[in-house]
Structure formats: C-alpha cells, structure tokens
C-alpha cells in the first residue's frame, strides 16, 4: 500500500522534483557566446582574420536577404585554407587576398570593395563581374569626360551662358577634381553637369556654376522648355545633395523608394522598410513643370543613380541614357546602423588594420518595388554616345534629350 | 534525462495517481501581466541593449484534482512575450518594441498544501507554444530623409538630429527561413487559492516560463540563439464542474 506523504515530505518532494526539472531543462539551452564584433578580433593570425572577416560579413552585410552567395559554404570551404596559413609572409598574403576575393566575388553589393592595407591591393566584386561580362566596360568609351571637355561646352551650350569650373575637393580622403558645367542649349534648355555629389564643397571655380543653375531654376524664364541634368560618369557622393539638387525643383515631398538596415546580428535581421524621400530644399524651392531629364550611363553610380531615380519618379521626369552601374545602397559609418563597412586586424596592425571592407549600410528599393542593386537602373529612353558620333561632333545622348524636350 | 531521473519522475507520478477517490474536474479563467526577457548575446552591436517588455496573458485553466494535494493542470492561453531593442548614447531614441503573441499549452503538476479554504500551491511542468503573431513598433534613423538644416552643422546632437527618424508600428512579417514559430520550454509557478465554496475558488499565482528552443531556425553557421524567459502574475477563478453540473464519474 502506498502511503500518502505528510505535508513536510510533500514539500521536500516538490523541491527535489523542481531541482531535477530545473537542472534538466537549463542544460537544454545552447551556448550564448556571441560572435565577437569583427573589429575586436586581435587579427594576429590568418585564421583569426578569417574568423573576424566571416563574422563581420555575416552580421554587417546588408544584402543577405537578396544575395545568392552561400556564406555558410564560404565558412566550410575557406576556414581550412586559412588554417593552413601559419605565418605572415608574401606568399601567404597573396593566397589570403586571393581567398578573400574568391569568397566575395559573387556579392551583389556594387559599392563593395576590399582594401588590403598591407599591400595596398583592393578587390571589387562589381568591377570583377562587369569586366567578366565586358572586358572594355570601363574603357570602351572616352565619354562623358571628352564630351564635356570638347563637345558640350563648345558645341551645345550657348556661348553667352556658359559657366564652368574645376575645384579640388576631398572625397574619401583623397584629393579629387570636381568639375561643373552649366548654361543653356539652343536658348531653350537649362543644362547642368557635375562629376561628383559634393556640392557642399563647391568652391571659387564651381560655385558660380551652381549659382547660375539654381538662379535660373528659381526664376525660370518662359523660353526654357526643359531642364537636363547630366549625371553620366558621376560616381556619387553626399546624400544631402539629393534634397539640395532635386529638392529645389519640387514644392512637395517626393517618395522615391524605401531603405532598410540591419537591426540584429543575425543574417536576416532587418528593420522595416523606411520611406526614402526627397524634400523641398529648406533654402527655397520652386515647382518646375517643364520636362526634367536625367542623363545617366553605365558609370553613373550611387547618388547619381538615386538622383536619376528621383527625377524618373517626377511626373515630368525622364531618364535617358543607358543602364546605370547598380550601386545604390546608401552608406554611413557602421555604428549608425550596426551594419555596413568595417575594418579587421586593428589589434595587430594598428588603426588602419589588415583589411577594410567598404559596403552599403542600407538596402534601397525603388518606388516600383524593384531592387536595382547589382543590376542598374534601366533608362526610360535608351541612348548612348558612340566614337563615330563624337568624332562627327554629336552627343547622341544630349541629342536624345533635346528631341524629347522638343516633343513635349 | 538519465535513467535515475526518469525513475524518480515515474515514482512521483505513481504516488499521485494512486489516490483518486476525491478526484474532481475544474475549469476556469485567468488573466494577468508578464515581463519577458529575450535571452541572447548582442555584444557585437554597438550602443545597443535588449530590454524586457511587459505583456499580457489570458488563459483557460483546466485542472484535474487527483487528491487533496496533487492535480494535473493544463492552461491553454494566449501569452505575449515582448521585448525591446534600445540604442543608447548618441543613438538615443532609436528603438524597436517587438510584441509577440503565442498560443501556449502548459501541462503541469499542481502540488497544493495548507488548510481547507486557503491553500498554497506550486506548479511545475512543460509547455509547447506557437508564435501566432508579431508586431514591431519603433523609430529608426532614415538615411534617405536627412535633416538638411543639421547637415551643415559639424556637431549634430544625435543620430536622429542628423537624419529624421522613421516611426513605424506594423505587423511583423514572419520569415520561413529565420523564424522558429514552435517553442518548447518549462514552466514553474507558485500561488495561493481560496475556495469560496465547493463549486469555485479564486487564485493568484506567479509563474515563470523558460524556452529551451531557439526563437530562430538554424539558418546560419555560428548562430547566436534567442530564448524567451517570461515572468508573469495572474489571477483567476476555477469552477468545479462536478459540483456545478454533477459528477462525471
């Protein structure tokens, strides 16, 4: 016969039972050791640098949701290879750089760039991809530089209105020539070209160009039937220029798409999509109702693409040219979004570290739902300059813009 | 679980079912609040903390009283397991509150002690839960909505001063790749019940539930797991079906 336990015994029984259960279940959880912040790994060996890089990419890279690269496979494939690199020497460094490049060559982020600080070498997956498709991608055309130097200012822009200049500015820590051209074409089209989005750095030679352009915008004469903004070859730059440039031509907020960032260390931890907007410029704006045409090409990247898409979104906007570069995820320091660019190996190699990974902080989706990262923005009207046309004194892209504006 | 532990559990169970002459069946309702902690490790994220958040719980406890001191209890319930991510310092104001609703079924042993009317009790058992719904509410810096006035300032006061914040409050979209919607765990609680008469009794109890399954599927190498730890307090009432509607036996 089973005896009913006393109250005291029941209580002891309960405690014993609880302890058994608690002990059993507490061991069911996995280890909570976090993957270290990529920048905090010592980086004093190739295996450690590999671990830092793999982890940094795993948590900071913002395109895992759309990227086809199998990052887990990269871990299993390349970890043993890095484990074999026992010491730092030239031969191993060559192999390490080759491995890092192979791991990342399929990434969709077209801003992405690896800089190996020991050798000064770098690797860009997008350049690699585009050169594999077309070996002459970056060299098959002298445009738009030559067009702007010798064609547009001399043949297209009305001489009395021509304003142009070159300043030296600082982009990503490097001195860069900043060129700008403006004026009217056939006394009916207001034209603007500049080669980088760094308008805040416009100085004595280029500020008059922007002064002229925006003065015309704010007091648009009746004879101006269209505006052309030439972004061919423009590699991008400061985000604030979007409001500064396009925002002076609108009087109400314009939604052009959405961005999202990482919000956790997991590969697929994302914030919700936030609306990407262009606001009327705080210093004043007017509503431009004549056609606004963005000219862009295969070398137009980043802010040049965002600006092209902003103009394309306007009811009176049009994009003429060729498919753009496909690097349109905005960037910020990694601390802002817990994602994007990072440096590894600072513990062993000093502040510049061993490897700097330049990558987008946020993913951009155009208002139509398309993500053009790695693909480029398709033009509304295709037009591309040719050597033959250039030699005969014609810019076929500007001609297409003139014809479009004439027809509206 | 080892053979010894299994034997111990079996022995306790035999003790419990051996004395069922006073067996009664209870059905009731309970409601309460809780505080959930997401247990993870985010040390790789700068200026970021994971904080607990409050939630609610509503349940329908079903209790089968084997004898004076032991019952088996199941409490199907809707339970929120919320948490909040906060940025700190220069990034103050950036946050996300995750409100997660679970349908939960704990099966517990109920051990009671004390007098005729006022009795103390402890619960111990296991639960299974399904992550039914999610909502995210928060503010994030909107990189393509810069504060054009602050841009010219070399010293913006905060991240939300540099870029306007985007405030959202929307349904969470589950990911088939990432989200593990089935949760298993254990539950322990203590409470006091007061029997008004033989037909019904009120109770108040504190309860802990801890998951031992990751909130994420195993979708990446070196994954850092996330577990829910939930501390709740609830009040409720149990009705004796035997006394209200006659004996089932």
């Amino acid at each position: 016969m089973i005896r009913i336990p006393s109250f005291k015994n029941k209580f002891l029984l309960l405690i014993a039972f609880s302890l058994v259960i608690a002990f059993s279940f507490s061991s069911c959880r996995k280890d909570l050791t976090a993957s270290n912040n990529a920048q905090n790994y010592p980086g004093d060996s190739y295996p450690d640098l590999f671990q830092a890089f793999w982890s940094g990419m795993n948590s900071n890279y913002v395109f895992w949701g759309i990227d086809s690269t199998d990052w887990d496979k990269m871990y299993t494939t390349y970890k043993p290879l890095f484990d074999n690199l026992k010491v730092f020497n030239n031969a191993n460094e060559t192999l390490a750089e080759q491995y890092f490049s192979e791991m990342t060559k399929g990434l969709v982020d077209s801003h992405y760039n690896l800089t190996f600080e020991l050798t000064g070498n770098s690797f860009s997956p997008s350049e690699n991809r585009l050169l594999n498709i077309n070996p002459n991608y970056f060299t098959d055309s002298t445009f738009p530089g030559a067009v702007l130097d010798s064609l547009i200012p001399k043949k297209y822009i009305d001489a009395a209105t021509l304003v142009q200049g070159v300043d030296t500015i600082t982009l990503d820590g490097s001195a860069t020539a900043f060129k700008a051209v403006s004026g009217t074409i056939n006394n009916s089209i207001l034209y603007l070209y500049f080669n980088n989005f760094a308008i805040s750095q416009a100085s004595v030679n280029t500020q008059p160009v922007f002064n002229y352009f925006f003065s015309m915008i704010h007091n648009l004469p009746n004879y101006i039937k269209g505006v052309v903004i030439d972004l061919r070859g423009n590699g991008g730059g400061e985000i604030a220029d979007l409001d500064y440039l396009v925002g002076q031509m609108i009087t109400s907020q314009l939604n052009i798409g959405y961005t999202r960032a990482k919000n956790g260390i997991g590969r697929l931890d994302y914030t919700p999509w936030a609306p990407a907007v262009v606001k009327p410029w705080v210093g004043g704006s007017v509503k431009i109702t004549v056609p606004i045409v963005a000219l862009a090409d295969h070398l137009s990247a980043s802010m040049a693409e965002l600006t092209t898409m902003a103009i394309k979104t306007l009811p009176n906007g049009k994009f003429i040219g060729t498919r753009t570069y496909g690097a349109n995820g905005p960037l910020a320091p990694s601390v802002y979004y817990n994602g994007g660019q990072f440096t590894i190996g600072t513990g062993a190699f000093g502040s510049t570290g061993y490897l700097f990974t330049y990558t987008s902080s946020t993913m951009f989706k155009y208002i139509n739902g398309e993500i053009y990262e790695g693909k480029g923005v398709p033009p509304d009207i295709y037009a591309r300059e040719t050597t033959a046309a250039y030699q005969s004194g014609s810019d076929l892209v500007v001609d297409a813009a003139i014809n479009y504006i004439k027809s509206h | 679980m080892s053979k010894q532990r299994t034997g111990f559990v079996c022995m306790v169970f035999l003790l419990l079912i051996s004395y069922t002459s006073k067996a009664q069946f209870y059905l009731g309702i309970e409601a309460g609040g809780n505080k959930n902690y997401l247990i993870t490790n985010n040390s790789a994220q700068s200026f970021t903390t994971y904080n607990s958040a409050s939630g609610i719980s509503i349940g329908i406890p079903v209790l089968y009283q084997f004898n004076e001191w032991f019952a088996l209890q199941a409490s199907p319930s809707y339970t929120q397991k919320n948490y909040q991510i906060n940025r700190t310092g220069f990034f103050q104001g950036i946050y996300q509150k995750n409100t997660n609703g679970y349908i939960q079924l704990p099966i517990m042993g109920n051990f009671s002690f004390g007098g005729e009317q006022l009795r103390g009790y402890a619960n111990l058992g296991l639960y299974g839960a399904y992550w039914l719904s999610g909502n995210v509410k928060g503010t994030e810096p909107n990189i393509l909505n810069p504060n054009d006035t602050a841009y010219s300032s070399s010293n913006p006061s905060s991240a939300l001063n540099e870029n306007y914040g985007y405030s959202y409050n929307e349904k969470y979209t589950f990911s088939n790749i990432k989200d593990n919607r089935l949760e298993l765990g254990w539950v322990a609680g203590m409470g006091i019940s007061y029997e008004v008469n033989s037909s019904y009794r009120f109770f108040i109890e504190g309860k802990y539930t801890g998951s031992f399954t990751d909130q994420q599927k195993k979708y990446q190498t070196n994954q850092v797991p996330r577990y829910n730890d939930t501390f709740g307090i609830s009040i409720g009432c149990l009705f004796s079906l035997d006394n209200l509607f006659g004996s089932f036996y």
Side-chain angles (χ1 to χ4, degrees):
Chain A
M1 181 180 166
I2 298 173
R3 190 167 59 88
I4 300 166
S6 68
F7 171 75
K8 186 182 170 188
N9 287 341
K10 277 187 286 184
F11 196 68
L12 290 173
L13 190 66
L14 175 62
I15 288 173
F17 188 59
S18 303
L19 288 173
V20 170
I21 295 290
F23 176 75
S24 304
F25 293 154
S26 63
S27 61
C28 293
R29 287 186 173 178
K30 294 174 194 161
D31 187 5
L32 281 176
T33 304
S35 56
N36 206 355
N37 186 320
Q39 294 164 95
N40 294 340
Y41 283 78
D44 53 359
S45 67
Y46 281 115
D48 193 68
L49 287 167
F50 166 77
Q51 197 69 45
F53 177 70
W54 188 91
S55 298
M57 281 295 295
N58 196 58
S59 60
N60 280 35
Y61 186 64
V62 77
F63 293 105
W64 287 130
I66 61 166
D67 204 300
S68 59
T69 301
D70 185 343
W71 200 237
D72 288 336
K73 189 177 176 189
M74 295 302 158
Y75 189 88
T76 53
T77 303
Y78 286 94
K79 187 177 184 306
L81 298 179
F82 277 94
D83 285 345
N84 285 336
L85 305 180
K86 306 291 185 192
V87 293
F88 288 100
N89 58 37
N90 289 342
N92 282 348
E93 178 59 23
T94 301
L95 282 173
E97 292 184 10
Q98 178 194 323
Y99 297 156
F100 283 126
S101 301
E102 287 171 358
M103 288 170 71
T104 56
K105 69 180 180 186
L107 296 176
V108 72
D109 180 7
S110 295
H111 276 108
Y112 195 91
N113 192 77
L114 298 177
T115 304
F116 301 96
E117 303 291 354
L118 295 187
T119 60
N121 294 332
S122 64
F123 175 71
S124 162
S126 61
E127 286 183 18
N128 183 63
R129 180 178 67 244
L130 292 165
L131 286 173
N132 279 337
I133 296 167
N134 174 10
N136 299 314
Y137 188 89
F138 296 96
T139 55
D140 69 342
S141 168
T142 55
F143 314 102
V147 170
L148 283 152
D149 289 343
S150 62
L151 201 57
I152 288 178
K154 292 175 183 168
K155 183 181 173 189
Y156 282 90
I157 292 186
D158 304 315
T161 65
L162 176 64
V163 194
Q164 61 180 334
V166 180
D167 282 315
T168 300
I169 59 166
T170 304
L171 276 183
D172 293 330
S174 303
T176 306
F178 181 50
K179 300 177 187 176
V181 180
S182 190
T184 60
I185 296 173
N186 298 332
N187 278 315
S188 62
I189 294 170
L190 179 62
Y191 175 90
L192 173 69
Y193 165 84
F194 55 101
N195 67 334
N196 277 297
F197 279 86
I199 303 175
S200 66
Q201 295 187 58
S203 189
V204 61
N205 297 314
T206 51
Q207 191 60 58
V209 177
F210 295 104
N211 289 345
Y212 169 81
F213 177 77
F214 288 117
S215 170
M216 289 287 281
I217 286 291
H218 284 269
N219 304 282
L220 201 68
N222 286 335
Y223 60 82
I224 295 296
K225 305 300 181 193
V227 177
V228 170
I229 297 174
D230 193 342
L231 302 171
R232 287 177 291 172
N234 190 316
E238 296 164 0
I239 287 171
D241 285 354
L242 190 56
D243 283 352
Y244 186 72
L245 176 60
V246 181
Q248 294 198 51
M249 298 188 283
I250 58 174
T251 51
S252 58
Q253 185 169 293
L254 177 70
N255 286 10
I256 64 169
Y258 311 89
T259 59
R260 70 174 178 177
K262 297 295 299 294
N263 72 350
I265 61 170
R267 219 178 276 163
L268 298 179
D269 292 335
Y270 285 114
T271 63
W273 290 100
V277 300
V278 182
K279 302 183 294 299
W281 179 245
V282 289
S285 68
V286 291
K287 185 174 182 179
I288 299 297
T289 54
V290 299
I292 303 173
V293 176
L295 306 183
D297 66 3
H298 63 299
L299 297 177
S300 303
S302 195
M303 263 294 293
E305 295 178 282
L306 291 172
T307 304
T308 298
M309 286 187 273
I311 291 172
K312 185 181 162 76
T313 308
L314 290 166
N316 55 329
K318 198 61 83 176
F319 165 26
I320 295 175
T322 55
R323 187 178 281 271
T324 60
Y325 192 80
N328 41 60
L331 285 88
S334 62
V335 69
Y336 276 72
Y337 293 94
N338 275 322
Q341 52 197 304
F342 62 95
T343 302
I344 59 167
T346 52
F349 296 94
S351 59
T352 54
Y354 167 81
L355 172 62
F356 173 60
T357 302
Y358 184 74
T359 181
S360 296
S361 312
T362 55
M363 192 190 307
F364 179 80
K365 178 168 71 175
Y366 186 49
I367 194 76
N368 65 0
E370 286 283 339
I371 296 171
Y372 291 121
E373 189 70 36
K375 300 176 186 170
V377 184
D380 298 318
I381 298 171
Y382 179 85
R384 183 168 186 175
E385 178 65 326
T386 64
T387 303
Y390 170 68
Q391 287 171 344
S392 67
S394 292
D395 183 338
L396 297 181
V397 185
V398 172
D399 288 347
I402 293 169
N403 290 334
Y404 172 75
I405 289 168
K406 270 185 187 170
S407 67
H408 284 75
Chain B
M1 198 179 287
S2 70
K3 281 183 180 176
Q4 277 185 325
R5 282 184 210 154
T6 308
F8 179 78
V9 172
C10 290
M11 185 191 77
V12 171
F13 189 69
L14 282 171
L15 274 171
L16 303 175
I17 62 170
S18 63
Y19 188 69
T20 58
S21 63
K22 290 183 179 176
Q24 283 201 74
F25 195 63
Y26 290 87
L27 181 67
I29 187 163
E30 68 175 322
N34 66 38
K35 186 148 269 202
N36 184 68
Y37 296 79
L38 189 77
I39 307 300
T40 187
N41 191 330
N42 74 315
S43 55
Q45 291 182 285
S46 306
F47 301 98
T48 307
T49 59
Y50 279 65
N51 297 317
S52 62
S54 302
I56 59 162
S57 179
I58 301 167
I60 303 171
V62 179
L63 188 139
Y64 186 78
Q65 189 81 48
F66 284 94
N67 57 39
E68 174 188 298
W69 64 276
F70 178 74
L72 265 182
Q73 184 177 341
S75 293
S77 64
Y78 168 80
T79 302
Q80 289 181 337
K81 301 186 181 189
N82 308 334
Y83 66 93
Q84 191 158 315
I85 306 169
N86 289 90
R87 302 292 306 272
T88 57
F90 183 74
F91 305 95
Q92 194 80 37
I94 300 167
Y95 78 100
Q96 179 170 295
K97 182 179 180 185
N98 293 55
T99 302
N100 296 320
Y102 285 78
I103 294 292
Q104 187 161 291
L105 180 64
I107 308 282
M108 301 169 286
N110 177 296
F111 306 87
S112 63
F113 49 86
E116 285 271 316
Q117 283 191 300
L118 188 64
R119 291 180 68 79
Y121 65 88
N123 288 329
L124 194 61
L126 300 170
Y127 75 88
Y130 180 73
W131 188 359
L132 185 69
S133 61
N135 189 79
V136 287
K137 180 182 180 184
T139 299
E140 60 176 303
N142 191 349
I143 196 166
L144 283 183
N145 189 3
N147 180 346
D148 296 324
T149 309
Y151 185 76
S152 57
S153 164
S154 57
N155 291 307
S157 58
S158 70
L160 293 178
N161 181 239
E162 263 185 277
N163 292 299
Y164 288 114
Y166 169 61
S167 293
Y168 53 90
N169 184 2
E170 62 187 51
K171 194 174 174 182
Y172 176 71
T173 305
F174 286 102
S175 162
N176 289 333
I177 300 169
K178 185 182 84 163
D179 295 318
N180 177 18
R181 300 179 72 174
L182 187 64
E183 182 175 288
L184 301 173
W186 71 291
V187 55
M190 292 194 80
I192 298 169
S193 70
Y194 180 76
E195 189 172 284
V196 179
N197 57 39
S198 60
S199 296
Y200 61 96
R201 55 171 129 153
F202 291 100
F203 64 86
I204 179 167
E205 72 177 32
K207 194 185 292 176
Y208 162 80
T209 57
S211 68
F212 49 73
T213 51
D214 190 349
Q215 204 183 40
Q216 310 155 100
K217 290 177 181 171
K218 176 69 181 159
Y219 78 99
Q220 58 175 45
T221 301
N222 296 340
Q223 184 167 297
V224 179
R226 294 168 186 168
Y227 300 109
N228 282 312
D229 269 355
T230 312
F231 298 87
I233 185 160
S234 61
I235 57 171
C237 183
L238 285 170
F239 307 94
S240 167
L241 298 185
D242 300 313
N243 290 340
L244 283 175
F245 305 112
S247 174
F248 290 161
Y249 314 102

